[in-house]
């Protein structure tokens, strides 16, 4: 190489930068007896072909990189639009809020029955007589703790899924083609992690089995102790029907319902209270009622006053967790002006009555 470069300098050709392709050409031009036009043309044709090959190779590499980028970008977009869409996350938010308002109970099932099988209603009523009450109370505490943890985990997982979605969107918006491809392993691992979190989240949406560490049935000389399992079941929250509930002059009519459940006979606890009492005797305008229907009327209230009404299920033996109850504010109608004078002159006694229906 040293002798070639010195030979080029002797020929009088000055060159500051010589590429790999141009260097052999200079050798042709500077060598005596090789100045053959046909030979130079052949060489130039070969050089041009090499340059075209290089250009095509670079274009192919760019096309391959772009195709790979598009393919992998579409994988992320599909995940964002299906498993992690904003619409789906909003639905999960609403479902968690609904679960927080539900009532949770322990249900005893024979091991051979599946969850939701109605045949468990044929279970002998003597089952509770066989179960140790103290051990069952302990399992109710375990069920309460398990339910609270499950609700907390659902909220935490949903927050992680939302943060993960924002992270994937940021990858798509800020990374150029080469950065996206160079960090694909990190992005792919993030997709896998979010997919596992979503599976875990969906599994937690359904209350599961309670893990029994101790026997519930005491040794009472029973020859054959039935095989049982405990599960947590939910009941949808009781909600006031705000369209059908109304206040009148000195009474109110209330109606409530349980969404997504078949009508069934249940006991409810209804509370009412006068807000902002104006006199000591106003404190008696409150009370608690046991109602076995989904309607109630409360009479002999004070006109033109604001009352709060609260509804919930009556507590039963198998209840393990219930924190929410629905409330509604209703204001009674004021007296007409012509009746105001006579009403002020008559004593107003307050008592409670209810009308059960349905």
């Amino acid at each position: 190489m040293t002798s070639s470069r010195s030979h080029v300098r002797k020929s009088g050709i000055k060159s500051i930068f010589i590429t790999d392709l141009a260097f052999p050409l200079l050798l042709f031009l500077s060598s005596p007896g090789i100045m053959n036009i046909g030979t130079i043309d052949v060489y130039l044709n070969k050089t041009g072909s090499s340059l075209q090959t290089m250009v095509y190779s670079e274009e192919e590499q760019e096309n391959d990189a772009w195709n790979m980028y598009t393919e992998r970008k579409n994988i992320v977009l599909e995940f964002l639009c299906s498993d992690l869409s904003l619409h789906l996350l909003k639905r999960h938010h609403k479902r968690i809020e609904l679960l927080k308002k539900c009532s949770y109970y322990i249900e005893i099932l024979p091991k051979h029955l599946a969850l939701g099988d109605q045949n468990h209603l044929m279970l002998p009523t003597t089952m509770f007589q066989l179960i140790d009450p103290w051990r069952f109370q302990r399992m109710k505490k375990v069920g309460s703790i398990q339910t609270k943890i499950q609700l907390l985990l659902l909220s935490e997982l949903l927050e992680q899924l939302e943060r993960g979605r924002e992270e994937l969107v940021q990858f798509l918006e800020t990374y150029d083609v080469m950065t996206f491809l160079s960090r694909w392993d990190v992005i792919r691992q993030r997709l896998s992690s979010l997919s596992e979190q979503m599976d875990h989240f969906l599994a937690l949406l359904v209350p599961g089995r309670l893990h029994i560490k101790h026997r519930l049935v005491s040794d009472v000389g029973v020859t054959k102790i039935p095989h049982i399992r405990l599960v947590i079941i939910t009941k949808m929250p009781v909600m006031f029907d705000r369209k059908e509930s109304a206040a009148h002059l000195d009474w109110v009519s209330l109606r409530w319902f349980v969404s997504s459940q078949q009508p069934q006979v249940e006991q409810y606890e209804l509370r009412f209270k006068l807000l902002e009492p104006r006199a000591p005797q106003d404190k008696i305008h409150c009370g608690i009622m046991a109602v076995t229907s989904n309607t109630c009327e409360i009479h002999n209230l004070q006109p033109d006053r604001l009352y709060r009404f609260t509804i919930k299920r009556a507590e039963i033996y198998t209840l393990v967790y219930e924190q929410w109850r629905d409330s509604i504010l209703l204001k009674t109608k004021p007296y007409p002006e012509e009746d105001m004078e006579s009403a002020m002159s008559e004593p107003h006694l307050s008592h409670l009555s209810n009308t059960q229906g349905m």
Side-chain angles (χ1 to χ4, degrees), residues 25 83 104 127 201 218 303:
L25 180 59
D83 294 16
Y104 294 82
M127 179 63 68
F201 175 84
S218 302

Side-chain angles (χ1 to χ4, degrees), residues 96 99-105 139-157 204 207-208 210 232 234 319-324:
I96 290 178
L99 287 174
K100 290 178 180 179
K101 298 176 181 178
C102 287
S103 305
Y104 294 82
Y105 300 85
M139 287 309 302
K140 284 175 63 175
K141 292 181 180 178
V142 172
S144 178
I145 294 171
Q146 181 172 308
T147 301
K148 293 175 184 177
I149 292 174
Q150 187 168 342
L151 292 174
L152 288 173
L153 280 176
L154 282 171
S155 298
E156 177 62 27
L157 281 172
L204 282 175
L210 269 177
I232 297 293
T234 60
L319 177 68
V320 297
Y321 182 77
E322 183 184 53
Q323 291 296 313
W324 185 87

Side-chain angles (χ1 to χ4, degrees), residues 93 153-164 201:
H93 257 298
L153 280 176
L154 282 171
S155 298
E156 177 62 27
L157 281 172
L158 188 56
E159 289 181 6
Q160 291 179 13
L161 290 171
E162 289 174 335
R163 289 196 297 268
F201 175 84

Side-chain angles (χ1 to χ4, degrees), residues 212-260:
I212 306 175
K213 294 183 179 180
H214 307 282
R215 290 179 57 185
L216 288 179
V217 180
S218 302
D219 187 7
V220 291
V222 180
T223 56
K224 188 176 181 181
I225 298 175
H227 295 284
I228 61 173
R229 61 192 174 110
L230 300 182
V231 295
I232 297 293
I233 63 169
T234 60
K235 289 186 178 182
M236 291 294 104
V238 185
M239 309 283 290
F240 277 115
D241 189 332
R242 278 146 173 86
K243 292 183 178 179
E244 297 295 330
S245 300
H248 306 278
L249 181 64
D250 59 353
W251 65 285
V252 296
S253 58
L254 302 170
R255 180 181 290 271
W256 52 89
F257 63 92
V258 179
S259 61
S260 305

Side-chain angles (χ1 to χ4, degrees), residues 62 64-70 174-183:
E62 289 179 1
D64 290 343
W66 178 257
N67 291 335
M68 185 181 296
Y69 167 74
T70 303
T174 60
Y175 284 176
D176 56 29
V177 175
M178 298 313 298
T179 305
F180 187 90
L181 292 176
S182 65
R183 291 185 59 82

Side-chain angles (χ1 to χ4, degrees), residues 88-124:
L88 190 62
L89 293 177
K90 288 180 181 178
R91 283 182 56 190
H92 289 327
H93 257 298
K94 291 181 180 179
R95 190 160 185 183
I96 290 178
E97 292 305 312
L98 181 62
L99 287 174
K100 290 178 180 179
K101 298 176 181 178
C102 287
S103 305
Y104 294 82
Y105 300 85
I106 283 183
E107 188 169 43
I108 301 175
L109 292 177
K111 284 192 174 180
H112 65 276
L113 288 184
L115 183 62
D117 195 331
Q118 296 300 313
N119 290 329
H120 72 275
L121 299 176
M122 303 300 293
L123 203 63

Side-chain angles (χ1 to χ4, degrees), residues 251-308:
W251 65 285
V252 296
S253 58
L254 302 170
R255 180 181 290 271
W256 52 89
F257 63 92
V258 179
S259 61
S260 305
Q261 278 189 265
Q262 295 293 331
Q264 54 183 326
V265 178
E266 287 191 274
Q267 267 207 331
Y268 303 98
E269 180 185 284
L270 177 63
R271 296 170 178 257
F272 78 101
K273 183 179 181 180
L274 172 66
L275 301 181
E276 300 177 358
R278 302 169 185 171
Q281 59 268 27
D282 287 347
K283 294 180 180 180
I284 66 173
H285 285 266
C286 62
I288 304 175
M289 301 174 58
V291 187
T292 55
S293 67
N294 67 335
T295 61
C296 181
E297 293 181 358
I298 303 178
H299 290 264
N300 297 317
L301 302 178
Q302 292 190 12
D304 198 21
R305 302 297 292 275
L306 185 64
Y307 287 84
R308 178 192 289 122

